[in-house]
């Protein structure tokens, strides 16, 4: 027995520490440099190997005994060295933990990555070595080979350390003996002792000799519970998984019954949640393969002048690790090939006769002259013909066939020949050639067993053929290889099936087809015409496989067309249009393809028309998309008489979960789904302000019971948080189901209304998209309108947008929509108002703010308003229609230049060219005696110039003066008048250095609002008295400074106004006016 006493608690500590470090490093690895991402990949592989070791020890009590003492000692030293390296990485992670993990780019800027590249490269190399060492110790590789690999690893690592100047002493690499703190997840035992130096064994595969101090528990202690010391970061499912947490199946678990939602949550249509409760358990990357190429090293700050040497040393470590793992792979392959192969003897009754066998042999040898075929290739060819036989005779697909099949009935003859092809390949080609049977890997072994069982089972359903029937078999298609059409690309690879795209579909069992994240719903063989009219050929014998499948993380149906040789494997989404085309297809009785009746499938550059071999086959294939599209038809744009609905956003989400709106915690039981389709559709009527949206979530096409639900979505006040991962978005908003019962009908009877409250969200969802770009697109969709803005400005994370809205009523209206985005803590939301032509605004250049005291919001009205009863049980009020409500809004902008652009966007024909405050604006001329000062208070004076593309021919410089008094007692606050040519020369102002200007008598307008199209005051209070808003008289303006007056004159003459920041010159009169 080993003299060392390494405990199960210590194994738990190393395994848990590796997982915690991997989890923490992964959170900041998205925006990290390439070296750090490689380190995270190495951590993923290491923690996977440690978990495998932990599970082997826990499940097999004889595992350590079978290793032997030398191998156990080497394994223990490997684990010690691994623990020391992980503690070193843990110290580095802890040091920078206070920097946070929110913004990845900011984190790495603050980390000063350049100074840590050498340290990270060293840790990465050490973790690679530890993973390699532990894997080798768990294998059956010989001790002499272990020693040789150990020496190579030590030498390569020491060369790298020497190049970096980081060679450490044994004391520096002995954190277990020197540390005063215990490893996470393990407690110090009272029996813990330090092994004396004279009792230390020679070094095994460890990097350095470490002093030992471990618990006295044995590695195979029966009462040891390997789940007892886990942190919350490691879920129960992660613990029970025998391998890496990333390798666990992402398929949903059985449905959990959902609870009934309250009226405040309009999502009752959601199905029960099929997903497990682990958060983001499927978002971690899978461990990288050991079949690596030597990567290019990185230069470290400590290796000035020695960059090439450092590259060589780092490559040396990787090369040694790669060689070691290759040797381990050879050992495992040798073990696999040495295992006995279970072979079912060929039924002598169902064998190819001499003539047929000679034909098969000739076809096989003819193909071997062209390309090299491996055992895996032959297995795929045999599987292809087994599947074709089953597609021609449905009885072969079922395991409960009660009658014997007679050759000659229907398609049984060709199916029987296809089965003989498959059997001959299996028993003659593969088993009779030693060089092929030696390549029986685990994957090929599984395929061999399934193929052997399938062939024998299907042949047993046939009656033994007589002589005449055997002779008739020669008239069937006995070709070993399907014919290729001209536009089927020829592969340059030597293998028959060069790509994995085709190989993954050709399996005996349908459940095994596809990649790990794919699920095959249906497979069949079809005829096809491929390519353009010039080259396409009408195929016979259904030489193409047509597949319907789904992919984890995506909701759409996938349709794939592939051939036997592997030169074609085309995949795309199956759409409702394909379903309509398929249902309109006529099934030719001859089995040929008629391009007029076939189902067209366009795969980008290549178009294919497929035809099914029978009506029943077509019906079975179309049942899947028909059922799915009928279940999710609510996600398609609706056809309405008075409105138009358009699709704004369409993406797949990996995780869709409903949360509690107040706390953003998961519901109980948890309502979470995977691989969903998320769409946002917008409904626009004749009036633009009535536009609404709906969010539609539908299940994956792979669900046995597809579902679809829709939720009302307002145009604004949708709160979005991106504080989690870059692919995650949390949204919350309000629908029309807030109950109000504080009113009565006048007879003490309470009235019930369900309303929309933008300040009280009652729907919250968590969405995990496939990538960060999809999450950002969804955020932009929720934050903005679907039409392009005519003005856009950003103030930090917030935006200011102006849109031009046009109604399509009998008397159309044109108005503006102002959309503001705000950021509060981690949340971003929008505010949308509508401003009509006649409006009122307060322009504040000092605060760079424009206030609109009278704008319109959209209020969303429910279907249950002011009724004497509550909704029926099981009925939830829904959105009914829109109404206007009046409010106000402040628009904050960056500078005055941006204010000019913003105000210019609010009028279709004018640009703001000058704006300043004035002491007063009076509608009377100067007097010889008495003051002309107005009692209306200060005013804002602006000049607007007509745009060049809208100027009239007779007036090339049309300028409008607009002024607004600030005094609240003034009813008609707005004054407007045209500025004619030469008006300054006609001015009655005698002193050019005065801050006043008096405009001659002329027409002007007064009113409570300003017509933003014509820049004219309107809606006068005196209009009801017969005076109207148009008047006539002189206008006197007293500016705050002489510079303002000069800027006013320069803007009229076309020179330009005063720039912001210019020094303001005041006259003595200015000072007097300021004092008074």
């Amino acid at each position: 027995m080993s003299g060392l006493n390494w405990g199960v608690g210590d194994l738990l500590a190393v395994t848990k520490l590796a997982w915690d470090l991997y989890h923490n490093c992964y959170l900041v690895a998205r925006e990290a440099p390439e070296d750090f991402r490689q380190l995270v990949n190495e951590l993923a592989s290491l923690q996977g190997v440690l978990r495998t070791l932990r599970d082997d020890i826990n499940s097999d009590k004889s595992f350590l005994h079978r290793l032997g003492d030398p191998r156990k000692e080497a394994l223990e030293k490997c684990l010690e060295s691994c623990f020391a390296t992980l503690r070193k990485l843990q110290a580095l992670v802890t040091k920078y933990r206070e920097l946070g993990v929110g913004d990845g780019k900011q984190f790495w800027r603050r980390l000063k990555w350049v100074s840590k590249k050498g340290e990270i490269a060293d840790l990465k190399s050490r973790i690679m070595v530890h993973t390699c060492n532990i894997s080798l110790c768990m294998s059956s590789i010989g001790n002499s080979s272990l020693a040789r690999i150990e020496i190579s690893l030590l030498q390569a690592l020491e060369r790298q350390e020497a190049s970096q100047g980081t060679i450490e002493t044994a004391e520096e690499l002995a954190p277990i003996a020197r540390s005063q703190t215990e490893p996470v997840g393990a407690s110090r035992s009272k029996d813990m002792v330090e092994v004396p130096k004279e009792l230390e064994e020679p070094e095994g595969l460890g990097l350095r000799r470490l002093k030992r101090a471990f618990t006295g528990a044995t590695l195979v202690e029966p009462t040891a519970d390997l789940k007892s010391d886990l942190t919350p970061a490691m879920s129960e499912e992660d613990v029970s998984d025998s391998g890496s947490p990333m390798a666990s199946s992402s398929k949903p678990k059985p449905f959990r019954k959902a609870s009934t939602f309250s009226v405040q949550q309009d999502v009752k249509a959601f199905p029960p949640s099929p997903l497990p409760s682990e958060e983001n358990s499927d978002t971690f990357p899978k461990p990288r393969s050991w079949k690596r190429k030597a990567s290019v090293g990185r230069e470290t700050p400590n290796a000035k002048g020695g960059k090439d040497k450092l590259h060589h040393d780092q490559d040396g470590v990787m090369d040694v690790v790669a060689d070691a793992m290759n040797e381990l792979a050879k050992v495992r392959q040798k073990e696999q090939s040495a295992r006995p192969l279970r072979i079912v003897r060929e039924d002598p009754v169902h064998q190819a006769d001499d003539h047929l066998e000679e034909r098969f042999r000739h076809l096989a040898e003819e193909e071997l002259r062209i390309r090299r075929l491996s055992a895996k290739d032959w297995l795929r060819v045999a599987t292809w013909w087994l599947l074709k036989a089953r597609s021609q005779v449905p009885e072969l697909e079922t395991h409960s066939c009660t009658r014997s099949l007679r050759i000659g009935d229907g398609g049984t003859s060709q199916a029987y020949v296809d089965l003989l092809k498959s059997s001959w390949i299996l028993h003659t080609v593969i088993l009779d050639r030693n060089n092929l049977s030696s390549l029986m890997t685990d994957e090929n072994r599984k395929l061999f067993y399934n193929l052997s069982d399938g062939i024998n089972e299907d042949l047993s359903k046939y009656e033994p053929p007589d002589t005449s029937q055997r002779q008739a078999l020669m008239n069937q298609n006995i070709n070993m290889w399907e014919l290729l059409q001209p536009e089927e690309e020829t592969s340059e690879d030597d293998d028959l099936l060069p790509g994995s795209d085709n190989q993954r579909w050709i399996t005996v069992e349908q459940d095994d087809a596809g990649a790990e994240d794919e699920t095959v719903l249906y497979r069949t063989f079809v005829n096809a015409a491929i390519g353009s009219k010039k080259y396409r050929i009408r195929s016979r014998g259904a030489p193409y496989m047509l597949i319907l499948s789904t992919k984890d993380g995506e909701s759409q149906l996938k349709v794939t067309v592939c051939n036997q040789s592997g030169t074609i494997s085309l995949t795309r989404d199956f759409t409702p249009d394909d379903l309509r085309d398929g249902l309109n297809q006529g099934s030719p009785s001859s089995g040929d393809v008629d391009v007029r009746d076939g189902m067209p499938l366009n795969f980008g550059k290549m178009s294919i028309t497929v035809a099914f071999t029978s009506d029943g086959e077509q019906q079975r294939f179309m049942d899947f998309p028909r059922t799915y599209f009928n279940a999710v038809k609510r996600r398609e744009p609706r056809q309405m008489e008075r409105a138009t609905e358009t699709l704004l956003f369409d993406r797949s989400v990996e995780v869709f979960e409903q949360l509690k709106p107040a706390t953003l915690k998961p519901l109980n039981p948890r309502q979470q789904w995977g691989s969903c389709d998320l769409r946002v559709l917008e409904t626009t009527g004749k009036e633009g302000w009535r536009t609404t949206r709906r969010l539609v979530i539908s299940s994956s096409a792979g669900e046995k019971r597809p579902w679809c639900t829709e939720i009302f979505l307002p145009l604004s006040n949708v709160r979005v948080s991106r504080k989690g991962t870059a692919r995650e978005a949390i949204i919350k908003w309000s629908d029309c189901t807030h109950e109000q019962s504080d009113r009565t009908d006048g007879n003490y009877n309470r009235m019930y209304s369900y309303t929309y409250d933008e300040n009280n969200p009652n729907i919250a969802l968590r969405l995990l998209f496939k990538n960060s770009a999809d999450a950002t697109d969804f955020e932009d969709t929720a934050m903005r309108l679907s039409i392009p803005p005519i003005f856009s400005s950003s103030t930090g994370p917030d935006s200011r947008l102006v849109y031009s809205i046009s109604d399509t009523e009998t008397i159309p209206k044109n108005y503006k929509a102002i959309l503001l985005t705000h950021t509060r803590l981690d949340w971003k939301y929008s505010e949308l108002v509508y401003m009509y032509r006649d409006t009122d605004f307060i322009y504040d250049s000092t605060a760079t703010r424009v206030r609109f005291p009278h704008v319109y919001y959209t209020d969303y009205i429910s279907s249950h308003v002011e009724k004497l009863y509550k909704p029926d049980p099981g009925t939830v009020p829904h959105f009914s229609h829109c109404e206007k409500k009046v409010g106000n809004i402040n628009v904050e902008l960056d500078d005055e230049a941006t204010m000019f652009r913003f105000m210019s966007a609010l009028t279709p024909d004018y640009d703001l060219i000058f704006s300043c405050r004035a002491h007063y604006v009076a509608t009377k001329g100067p007097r010889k005696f008495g003051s002309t000062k107005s009692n209306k208070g200060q005013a804002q004076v602006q000049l607007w110039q007509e745009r060049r593309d809208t100027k009239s021919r007779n007036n090339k410089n049309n300028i409008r003066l607009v002024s607004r008094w600030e005094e609240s007692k003034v009813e008609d606050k707005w004054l407007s008048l045209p500025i004619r040519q030469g008006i300054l020369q006609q001015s009655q102002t005698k002193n050019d250095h005065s801050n006043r200007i008096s405009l001659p008598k002329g027409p002007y307008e007064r009113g409570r609002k300003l017509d933003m199209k014509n820049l004219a005051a309107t809606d006068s209070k005196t209009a009801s008295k017969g005076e109207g808003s148009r008047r006539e008289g002189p206008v006197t303006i007293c500016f705050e400074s002489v510079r303002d007056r000069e800027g006013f004159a320069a803007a009229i003459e076309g020179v330009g106004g005063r720039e912001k920041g210019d020094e303001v010159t005041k006259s003595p009169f200015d000072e007097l006016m300021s004092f008074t």
Side-chain angles (χ1 to χ4, degrees):
M1 294 294 293
S2 173
L4 303 177
N5 197 12
W6 205 86
V8 66
D10 304 307
L11 176 60
L12 277 173
V14 178
T15 306
K16 180 183 178 300
L17 181 58
W19 164 259
D20 289 344
L21 288 173
Y22 164 65
H23 178 72
N24 294 333
C25 292
Y26 173 78
L27 294 178
V28 297
R30 188 170 302 278
E31 303 292 342
E34 179 63 24
D35 285 354
F36 190 84
R37 291 199 296 268
Q38 292 178 4
L39 173 65
V40 175
N41 290 335
E42 301 301 335
L43 277 173
S45 299
L46 176 61
Q47 62 91 22
V49 171
L50 289 172
R51 285 184 170 204
T52 302
L53 174 61
R54 177 202 65 190
D55 295 338
D56 288 344
I57 295 175
N58 193 40
S59 60
D60 186 2
K61 298 182 179 181
S62 63
F63 177 80
L64 291 176
H65 179 72
R66 287 187 284 104
L67 285 182
D69 290 347
R71 190 62 61 88
K72 282 194 292 186
E73 293 175 5
L75 178 60
E76 290 169 356
K77 286 186 174 291
C78 291
L79 293 172
E80 290 181 74
S81 300
C82 177
F83 184 78
T85 301
L86 292 178
R87 289 297 296 270
K88 184 177 180 181
L89 177 60
Q90 184 187 38
L92 182 65
V93 172
T94 304
K95 179 179 179 181
Y96 293 98
R97 182 174 297 170
E98 62 271 13
L99 295 179
V101 296
D103 186 353
K105 293 182 178 179
Q106 182 183 7
F107 175 83
W108 290 106
R109 284 197 299 267
R110 297 176 65 185
L111 182 59
K112 297 181 180 179
W113 166 252
V114 177
S115 63
K116 298 297 177 183
K117 289 173 66 176
E119 189 172 357
I120 294 298
D122 176 64
L123 290 171
K124 180 186 69 175
S125 299
R126 290 171 177 271
I127 292 173
M128 287 174 58
V129 172
H130 296 324
T131 307
C132 176
N133 286 342
I134 298 172
S135 300
L136 291 172
C137 288
M138 295 169 60
S139 70
S140 61
I141 192 172
N143 291 330
S144 59
S145 299
L146 276 177
R148 177 177 55 80
I149 295 173
E150 174 191 6
I151 295 174
S152 300
L153 287 172
L154 289 175
Q155 291 177 349
L157 194 60
E158 288 173 355
R159 285 196 302 269
Q160 176 179 320
E161 292 173 343
S163 66
Q164 297 175 347
T166 58
I167 298 180
E168 301 175 353
T169 64
E171 287 296 325
E172 292 171 339
L173 288 172
I176 300 176
R178 299 189 301 110
S179 175
Q180 298 300 322
T181 59
E182 292 300 317
V184 181
S187 60
R188 180 175 293 273
S189 172
K190 64 180 181 179
D191 299 328
M192 183 178 296
V193 295
E194 181 173 325
V195 179
K197 184 176 181 179
E198 58 271 11
L199 295 181
E200 291 185 357
E201 287 79 10
E203 292 186 6
L205 286 178
L207 300 179
R208 293 289 188 272
R209 179 176 307 213
L210 299 178
K211 293 182 179 180
R212 320 180 57 80
F214 286 96
T215 62
T218 62
L219 282 172
V220 291
E221 183 175 300
T223 59
D225 185 3
L226 293 184
K227 299 181 182 179
S228 59
D229 294 326
L230 299 179
T231 63
M234 192 181 297
S235 64
E236 290 296 323
E237 182 178 347
D238 291 333
V239 176
S240 62
D241 192 2
S242 61
S244 162
M246 296 72 60
S248 60
S249 174
S250 59
K251 294 183 179 180
K253 290 185 176 181
F255 281 16
R256 297 173 59 189
K257 186 175 180 181
S259 60
T260 304
F261 295 106
S262 63
V263 173
Q264 283 73 16
Q265 296 170 332
D266 188 16
V267 285
K268 292 193 66 174
F270 286 146
S273 171
L275 289 188
S277 60
E278 289 79 18
E279 294 191 0
N280 299 336
S281 62
D282 57 345
T283 61
F284 300 107
K286 294 185 178 181
R288 54 98 180 96
S289 172
W290 279 105
K291 296 180 180 179
R292 62 162 66 245
K293 295 182 180 179
S295 61
V296 178
R298 305 282 182 178
E299 182 181 6
T300 63
N302 298 329
K304 296 180 179 180
K307 180 178 179 180
D308 295 337
K309 185 176 184 300
L310 178 57
H311 287 187
H312 174 74
D313 293 333
Q314 289 185 351
D315 291 348
V317 175
M318 295 181 182
D319 290 340
V320 173
V321 172
D323 292 341
M325 300 313 295
N326 288 335
E327 186 164 349
L328 177 60
K330 293 178 181 178
V331 173
R332 290 175 177 173
Q333 187 177 14
K334 184 177 180 180
E335 293 174 350
Q336 292 169 354
S337 61
R339 288 182 295 172
L341 193 64
R342 177 176 59 84
I343 301 175
V344 180
R345 295 184 59 183
E346 187 176 11
D347 189 350
V349 177
H350 298 289
Q351 288 183 350
D353 57 19
D354 295 340
H355 297 288
L356 192 57
E357 184 175 2
E358 181 62 26
R359 184 59 179 163
F360 288 162
R361 189 181 305 277
H362 173 73
L363 291 172
E365 292 176 351
E366 192 177 61
E367 187 68 21
L368 289 175
R369 296 191 187 100
I370 303 174
R371 52 176 84 234
R372 174 178 54 84
L373 302 180
S374 64
K376 187 175 184 179
D377 297 332
W378 282 114
L379 286 170
R380 299 293 178 181
V381 175
T383 304
W384 177 272
W385 293 114
L386 173 64
L387 296 177
K388 285 205 69 174
R390 291 180 173 180
S391 68
Q392 297 172 71
V393 181
E395 288 83 352
L396 297 178
E397 290 280 3
T398 61
H399 298 283
S400 59
C401 182
T402 58
R403 68 181 183 89
S404 297
L405 301 176
R406 185 175 182 275
I407 298 176
D409 296 341
T412 56
S413 297
Q414 183 60 57
Y416 188 76
V417 172
D418 293 341
L419 287 174
L420 293 181
K421 295 178 192 177
S422 183
S423 178
W424 182 84
I425 293 173
L426 183 67
H427 295 92
T428 303
V429 178
I430 297 178
L431 294 182
D432 284 357
R433 301 192 179 190
N434 296 328
N435 60 331
L436 295 179
S437 61
S438 64
L439 300 178
M440 299 301 291
T441 61
D442 285 343
E443 179 184 1
N444 290 348
R445 187 180 295 267
K446 170 185 170 58
L447 186 56
F448 176 88
Y449 289 152
N450 291 342
L451 186 60
S452 177
D453 294 340
I455 292 173
N456 285 277
E457 181 181 356
D458 291 353
L459 285 176
S460 65
K461 298 176 182 178
Y462 276 89
E463 296 179 355
D466 55 26
T467 304
S468 61
Q469 290 174 335
R470 287 190 177 276
Q471 292 177 353
L473 295 178
M474 297 299 295
N475 299 325
Q476 303 297 321
N477 177 21
I478 60 176
N479 289 329
M480 197 75 67
W481 322 106
E482 303 279 15
L483 298 178
L484 300 180
Q485 297 193 37
E487 290 199 9
E488 293 186 52
E489 298 179 1
T490 302
S491 173
E492 298 178 357
D493 199 294
D494 293 333
D495 296 335
L496 173 66
L497 304 177
S500 61
D501 289 344
N502 278 26
Q503 293 179 11
R504 72 181 194 271
W505 306 119
I506 307 174
T507 59
V508 177
E509 300 297 333
Q510 180 174 298
D511 293 341
D512 297 332
E516 290 296 330
D517 59 348
E518 292 175 323
T519 301
V520 174
L521 304 178
Y522 194 75
R523 294 184 302 184
T524 187
F525 288 87
V526 295
N527 289 296
I530 299 178
S532 59
K533 296 180 180 179
K534 184 177 180 181
Y535 298 106
R536 66 188 178 198
I537 299 176
R538 298 182 181 183
S539 66
R540 298 179 63 88
Y544 301 94
M545 183 182 287
L546 185 66
I547 304 133
L548 272 180
S549 63
T550 59
K551 188 173 183 179
D552 293 346
E554 300 181 14
S555 61
Q556 298 296 335
L557 272 171
K558 303 289 183 181
V559 58
T560 301
V561 177
C562 67
N563 60 3
Q564 180 196 36
S565 63
T567 58
I568 284 185
S569 182
L570 305 172
T571 303
R572 70 167 176 84
D573 292 343
F574 193 90
T575 64
D577 292 336
D578 297 327
L579 177 63
R580 287 188 287 269
D581 293 339
L583 294 177
N584 294 331
Q585 175 202 357
S587 179
S589 58
S590 62
D592 295 342
V593 176
D594 190 337
V595 295
R596 295 168 298 179
D597 298 330
M599 180 177 66
L601 295 174
N602 189 358
F603 292 91
K605 296 181 179 180
M606 182 172 291
S607 60
I608 298 179
T609 302
V610 301
F612 296 91
T613 56
S614 65
D615 291 335
E617 196 69 25
Q618 175 188 354
Q619 186 69 25
R620 287 189 293 271
F621 182 88
M622 290 299 174
D623 280 345
F624 289 93
R626 182 192 295 110
T627 302
Y628 176 67
F629 289 132
N630 287 340
V632 301
K633 60 184 178 181
R634 282 190 292 175
R635 72 184 189 184
E636 301 297 331
R638 297 171 295 185
Q639 302 296 328
M640 295 175 283
E641 294 182 2
R642 299 184 178 182
T644 303
E645 189 168 54
T646 56
L647 179 64
L648 302 184
F649 182 86
D650 181 8
R651 299 289 192 280
S652 294
V653 292
E654 292 185 359
V655 177
F656 161 67
E657 182 178 13
Q658 187 188 1
L659 306 175
K660 297 178 181 178
T663 62
L664 299 180
K665 299 295 184 181
L667 297 179
N668 187 20
R670 197 159 191 171
Q671 302 300 308
Q672 182 172 293
W673 300 264
S675 303
C676 297
D677 180 89
L678 177 68
R679 300 190 182 190
V680 176
L681 299 102
E682 184 174 270
T683 303
T684 305
K686 294 184 177 181
E687 296 178 283
W689 64 272
R690 295 183 183 272
T691 301
T692 59
R693 292 175 177 175
R694 61 189 181 104
L695 185 141
V696 184
I697 307 102
S698 55
S699 68
S700 168
E703 294 284 351
K704 293 183 178 180
R705 295 181 178 179
W707 54 267
C708 179
T709 186
E710 62 180 15
I711 314 174
F712 165 77
L713 189 70
L715 258 68
S716 61
N717 288 293
V718 177
R719 292 162 169 81
V720 181
S721 174
R722 299 287 301 280
K723 67 177 181 179
T725 62
R727 300 186 297 127
E728 186 181 54
I730 297 177
I731 59 171
K732 60 179 181 178
W733 72 95
S734 171
D735 61 1
C736 303
T737 57
H738 289 277
E739 181 180 324
Q740 290 185 355
S741 57
D742 53 352
R743 298 183 59 184
T744 63
D745 63 349
N747 295 322
Y748 302 101
N749 295 318
R750 181 174 297 179
M751 302 180 66
Y752 296 93
S753 296
Y754 292 83
T755 62
Y756 167 78
D757 185 359
E758 66 270 15
N759 296 319
N760 186 17
N762 62 341
I763 296 178
L765 306 175
R766 182 176 76 91
L767 306 172
L768 184 65
F769 293 89
K770 294 175 59 179
N771 51 62
S772 59
D774 289 349
T776 302
D777 291 344
F778 176 78
E779 179 184 359
D780 292 341
T781 301
M783 290 293 107
R784 300 193 176 194
L785 301 186
S786 58
I787 58 178
I790 59 176
F791 169 82
S792 177
S793 175
S794 298
T795 304
D798 300 335
S799 301
R800 308 288 181 257
L801 304 171
V802 177
Y803 299 87
S804 182
I805 309 296
S806 298
D807 290 346
T808 58
E809 294 180 312
T810 306
I811 303 177
K813 294 181 180 180
N814 297 319
Y815 46 96
K816 306 297 180 182
I818 302 175
L819 188 143
L820 312 179
T821 61
H822 307 283
T823 303
R824 299 292 183 271
L825 299 177
D826 296 324
W827 294 93
K828 187 176 182 179
Y829 65 95
S830 63
E831 184 179 8
L832 178 65
V833 298
Y834 297 96
M835 188 200 78
Y836 284 88
R837 185 196 66 179
D838 299 341
T839 189
D840 182 23
F841 64 86
I842 303 171
Y843 186 95
D844 188 351
S845 59
T846 304
T848 62
R849 178 179 60 208
V850 182
R851 175 175 173 79
F852 296 88
H854 192 277
V855 290
Y856 294 95
Y857 291 81
T858 300
D859 192 13
Y860 304 99
I861 310 302
S862 75
S863 58
H864 194 102
V865 178
E866 295 185 352
K867 295 184 179 181
L868 297 175
Y869 53 88
K870 289 186 176 182
D872 295 334
T875 303
V876 178
H878 58 273
F879 166 76
S880 174
H881 62 281
C882 297
E883 292 182 0
K884 292 180 183 177
K885 63 179 181 179
V886 180
N888 59 78
I889 191 173
N890 293 324
V891 181
E892 310 260 347
L893 298 162
D894 289 336
D895 49 44
E896 194 164 4
T898 307
M899 294 180 69
F900 275 35
R901 292 195 302 112
F902 171 76
M903 295 303 303
S904 300
L906 300 181
T907 175
D909 301 331
Y910 288 86
D911 289 324
L912 180 62
I913 60 174
F914 177 82
S915 180
C916 72
R917 289 167 60 90
H919 285 307
Y920 64 83
V921 175
T923 54
K924 52 187 176 181
R927 300 179 181 179
K928 294 183 179 180
F929 303 100
S931 173
T932 59
K933 181 179 179 181
S934 172
N935 59 357
K936 297 182 178 65
Q938 293 185 326
Q940 187 75 25
V941 178
Q942 295 179 343
L943 290 176
W944 295 76
Q945 185 177 30
E946 192 174 13
R947 297 191 182 115
R948 294 181 180 179
D949 54 347
T950 58
K951 286 182 181 179
S952 61
R953 296 181 180 178
N954 298 329
N955 194 349
K956 297 182 180 180
N957 192 27
N958 189 7
I959 296 178
R960 301 277 304 179
L961 184 147
V962 173
S963 177
R964 184 186 188 279
W965 284 284
E966 298 178 358
E967 180 59 47
S968 59
K969 297 180 180 180
V970 179
E971 292 289 343
D972 293 340
K973 296 179 180 295
W974 287 96
L975 177 143
S976 63
L977 69 152
I979 301 297
R980 304 186 302 274
Q981 292 284 348
I983 194 172
L984 294 181
Q985 287 74 14
Q986 303 174 15
S987 172
Q988 303 179 33
T989 303
K990 302 299 183 181
N991 187 0
D992 292 338
H993 297 288
S994 171
N995 65 340
R996 290 191 303 170
I997 185 171
S998 296
L999 303 179
K1001 182 178 180 180
Y1004 63 87
E1005 298 88 17
R1006 289 282 303 276
R1008 289 177 289 187
K1009 296 181 179 180
L1010 182 66
D1011 178 355
M1012 295 299 293
K1013 178 175 176 57
N1014 302 304
L1015 270 301
T1018 185
D1019 190 24
S1020 174
K1021 181 183 179 182
T1022 59
S1024 59
K1025 300 178 181 180
E1027 297 182 13
S1029 61
R1030 297 184 61 85
R1031 305 177 188 179
E1032 188 173 349
V1035 175
T1036 301
I1037 306 174
C1038 181
F1039 296 94
E1040 290 185 342
S1041 65
V1042 176
R1043 180 62 60 88
D1044 288 343
R1045 177 190 178 279
E1046 293 174 351
F1048 178 85
I1052 294 177
E1053 295 172 355
V1055 177
R1058 172 175 62 87
E1059 297 291 337
K1060 185 177 181 181
D1062 290 349
E1063 183 180 355
V1064 178
T1065 304
K1066 291 188 177 182
S1067 65
F1069 183 79
D1070 298 336
E1071 301 293 342
L1072 178 62
M1073 292 302 299
S1074 300
F1075 177 77
T1076 57

